[in-house]
Amino acid sequence: MTKRVVMGLIVTVGLGLTAAHAHPHVWITATSELVYAQDGSFTGVRHAWAFDDMFSTYALQGIETKQKGVFTREELAPLAQTNVESLKEFAYFTFAKVAGKKQKFGEPVDYYLSHKDGVLTLHFFLPLKAPVKSPELAVEVFDPSYFIDFTFAEKDPIKLAGAPAGCALKFERPNDGTATAQRMSEDNFMNGDNSNYGAMFANKVEVKCP
């Protein structure tokens, strides 16, 4: 058995028959908004990440509620804080470039957890440290270690919020490289040149404005 901290929670991973296979252990279904200010500058990304049923159940263990099976935003607030604070170590799994130059994000704000039909969803806004105006923007969402699999929702996966008129959005889902991933051991997966292997599974967004 091995352990990995995910969203501030310790996840135990079995090393039985799957030890020689590199694959995700947590699955997230995402929707995101690229947010612009009135002056046309890109200000950040608003994420909503829905966790898989198993991780949601695990994360909710030990949380006291007034009504059994019902988790309010207030009751989930400490867990939400743990989640977002742990994301910093992983660059929030969100990578942006403007005109080919990497952009730096600040700490998440307006964050909270919601719970519906057994699924936990983490909502937060990830602001750029400095808003930037550019006709070209590229954003990628992925876990470099591929411990977490990010799949964007089929309906309205990416939206533009407040973008200048005429801006065009292009969204590219990752190619299916599962067979290749399974040939890599998890030990190699987390070290050396393979530590960014998850980039193969990046969800890519490009925005071009007039």
Side-chain angles (χ1 to χ4, degrees):
M1 308 293 284
T2 186
K3 294 182 178 180
R4 162 82 185 267
V5 177
V6 180
M7 301 291 175
L9 303 174
I10 298 176
V11 176
T12 301
V13 181
L15 290 180
L17 294 177
T18 61
H21 302 291
H23 57 82
H25 296 282
V26 178
W27 289 262
I28 288 176
T29 301
T31 58
S32 298
E33 287 185 339
L34 306 184
V35 182
Y36 290 77
Q38 289 186 346
D39 66 354
S41 60
F42 172 60
T43 63
V45 184
R46 182 176 292 114
H47 286 306
W49 292 350
F51 298 100
D52 63 85
D53 295 350
M54 185 177 297
F55 184 80
S56 295
T57 300
Y58 173 76
L60 292 170
Q61 292 179 352
I63 296 180
E64 296 184 1
T65 61
K66 292 182 179 179
Q67 184 177 347
K68 185 177 180 180
V70 178
F71 297 85
T72 66
R73 187 181 298 190
E74 291 73 22
E75 290 165 341
L76 293 171
L79 179 59
Q81 182 176 352
T82 298
N83 287 172
V84 296
E85 288 178 349
S86 70
L87 288 172
K88 186 174 183 179
E89 179 183 354
F90 305 101
Y92 311 103
F93 302 119
T94 305
F95 309 91
K97 289 184 178 181
V98 171
K101 183 178 180 181
K102 292 182 179 179
Q103 302 298 302
K104 294 183 178 180
F105 288 101
E107 296 183 356
V109 297
D110 300 333
Y111 57 83
Y112 66 94
L113 279 167
S114 61
H115 179 258
K116 183 179 181 181
D117 299 330
V119 173
L120 270 178
T121 302
L122 177 64
H123 308 258
F124 64 98
F125 178 65
L126 186 62
L128 281 184
K129 286 190 174 182
V132 61
K133 293 181 71 172
S134 173
E136 295 185 1
L137 166 67
V139 176
E140 295 186 357
V141 177
F142 66 97
D143 177 2
S145 71
Y146 199 48
F147 194 92
I148 299 174
D149 177 85
F150 285 90
T151 299
F152 273 74
E154 289 297 326
K155 183 179 180 181
D156 298 327
I158 305 287
K159 293 182 178 180
L160 298 179
C167 288
L169 181 151
K170 177 184 177 183
F171 174 54
E172 180 181 341
R173 297 179 186 275
N175 294 324
D176 184 10
T178 303
T180 302
Q182 289 180 345
R183 289 196 295 267
M184 301 182 66
S185 72
E186 294 211 14
D187 288 339
N188 291 336
F189 209 48
M190 300 298 294
N191 297 287
D193 294 338
N194 297 328
S195 61
N196 198 42
Y197 185 74
M200 285 186 59
F201 303 91
N203 297 273
K204 300 180 180 181
V205 185
E206 292 183 2
V207 181
K208 293 187 177 181
C209 297

